[in-house]
Amino acid sequence: MGRKLLSIDFDQLYTAVGTGGTLKGLIKGIDGKREVIGVPVLKNYDYEGKILRAYHHGGYAKVTKELLVFCETMKTQYDIVVEPTYTGKLFWAVFDQIDKGLIKQGTTVLVIHSGGLQALAE
């Protein structure tokens, strides 16, 4: 008997991508009927799967003023703390995909917030 990995029903799963290990595991663990989408934080990232390459904001650990403002807005408007290296870029991508109509109304989206918040304490 197989185990159910997630008790949440969703259409698309989004995750930040560094080395690709988490993305690869998610693709392997998801049933193939639902889409797994990676948002790389590295410039010129190349990996199999559906990858949104336009949201790296200059590359690993690089940020833009707009990204920093977005991270602060996530905290103040939605009470979700994100940092600009990984999760800020991830949520930026999801919001941009929604704004552009690329995530259709009625689509259930699961976003993996993978942490990284210790960097904010430094």
Side-chain angles (χ1 to χ4, degrees):
M1 178 182 286
R3 30 178 201 156
K4 190 170 185 176
L5 298 176
L6 295 171
S7 60
I8 301 168
D9 189 27
F10 64 92
D11 301 308
Q12 296 178 326
L13 183 148
Y14 286 77
T15 187
V17 178
T19 62
T22 300
L23 178 64
K24 186 174 184 176
L26 288 168
I27 290 171
K28 185 175 181 179
I30 299 299
D31 57 20
K33 297 175 186 163
R34 297 176 280 183
E35 202 169 21
V36 178
I37 301 158
V39 179
V41 301
L42 304 169
K43 196 173 184 180
N44 301 319
Y45 185 81
D46 189 26
Y47 187 79
E48 297 174 16
K50 183 163 183 183
I51 301 292
L52 303 179
R53 291 180 175 83
Y55 299 101
H56 56 74
H57 291 266
Y60 181 75
K62 301 214 186 226
V63 299
T64 60
K65 183 178 179 180
E66 295 81 9
L67 179 60
L68 293 174
V69 169
F70 176 80
C71 290
E72 185 60 30
T73 300
M74 288 295 294
K75 181 180 177 183
T76 58
Q77 188 170 346
Y78 301 104
D79 199 26
I80 299 173
V81 179
V82 296
E83 46 69 44
T85 302
Y86 287 96
T87 56
K89 293 174 183 180
L90 168 65
F91 279 88
W92 174 294
V94 172
F95 275 63
D96 189 58
Q97 295 285 295
I98 292 168
D99 289 345
K100 291 178 176 174
L102 299 171
I103 296 176
K104 304 293 184 203
Q105 186 172 2
T107 302
T108 302
V109 174
L110 177 61
V111 181
I112 304 283
H113 188 308
S114 55
L117 300 179
Q118 67 275 12
L120 296 176
E122 296 176 355

